[in-house]
Amino acid sequence: RPGRTRTAARACRQRPLRLMSADLANPAAGGSILSATSFDMMHAPDSIIDGDPSSFWSTTGSYPQEFVLKLGTESDVESISTYTANVRKMTVETCTGVSPQGWEQLYEVDVEDEHGSLQVSTQNIPSAATFVKFKIKSGWADYATVHKVSVQGKSR
């Protein structure tokens, strides 16, 4: 049925292509932990993005503590979610380019005390980013943990 094929083809040409948002922190999308201020072999920084719900990165004492996430490419970030425990105040900064410099603060959040249980915080703040820095400025306990970060958006 040639007429039907042409109609379907015309309909496809008329629809705008919509790219789906993805988790840019995921290693499959090119995400990697570039640096962290503390390291414990049992709770390494890569645990933040390994996809294992039972793993986490642990700070090792005093604050502030931070880690830097490198996205696979410069991206348009739509939202950032953090899954933490014992974090009291955190800032998130972004920068673009080939090296992590020229940081701009994206937001600061005061996280409610969940008495050691999981804290989930999602911020819908559009930004361009190649690198994302998470700085834990203070905690509800001597140690804080980061179980996961999710950076939703689209690669450029």
Side-chain angles (χ1 to χ4, degrees):
R1 299 182 177 186
R4 198 169 200 184
T5 304
R6 280 184 290 211
T7 303
R10 236 180 279 131
C12 288
R13 281 194 305 261
Q14 293 172 353
R15 291 187 195 137
L17 179 63
R18 293 185 189 193
L19 298 174
M20 298 294 290
S21 151
D23 185 357
L24 303 169
N26 188 312
S32 63
I33 300 298
L34 186 65
S35 65
T37 53
S38 60
F39 185 84
D40 176 340
M41 287 188 59
M42 298 295 294
H43 306 291
D46 289 336
S47 299
I48 298 168
I49 58 170
D50 68 2
D52 180 352
S54 67
S55 68
F56 56 88
W57 173 63
S58 178
T59 64
T60 54
S62 64
Y63 297 99
Q65 295 280 329
E66 66 183 51
F67 62 94
V68 175
L69 170 68
K70 182 182 184 303
L71 306 178
T73 183
E74 188 170 325
S75 303
D76 293 318
V77 173
E78 297 166 0
S79 68
I80 297 175
S81 298
T82 57
Y83 301 77
T84 60
N86 294 322
V87 170
R88 177 178 261 176
K89 183 179 289 256
M90 180 168 37
T91 60
V92 176
E93 301 173 10
T94 59
C95 69
T96 57
V98 294
S99 62
Q101 57 187 359
W103 296 100
E104 292 185 25
Q105 183 171 313
L106 192 55
Y107 65 88
E108 182 171 274
V109 63
D110 292 308
V111 186
E112 267 190 61
D113 186 6
E114 297 294 340
H115 308 285
S117 294
L118 197 63
Q119 304 161 300
V120 179
S121 173
T122 299
Q123 304 295 319
N124 297 312
I125 301 175
S127 175
T130 306
F131 301 91
V132 184
K133 182 192 295 183
F134 297 82
K135 186 181 293 184
I136 301 170
K137 296 177 105 177
S138 62
W140 291 105
D142 292 338
Y143 300 93
T145 58
V146 180
H147 297 256
K148 176 183 175 182
V149 297
S150 174
V151 178
Q152 295 295 314
K154 299 175 185 108
S155 296
R156 288 187 168 176

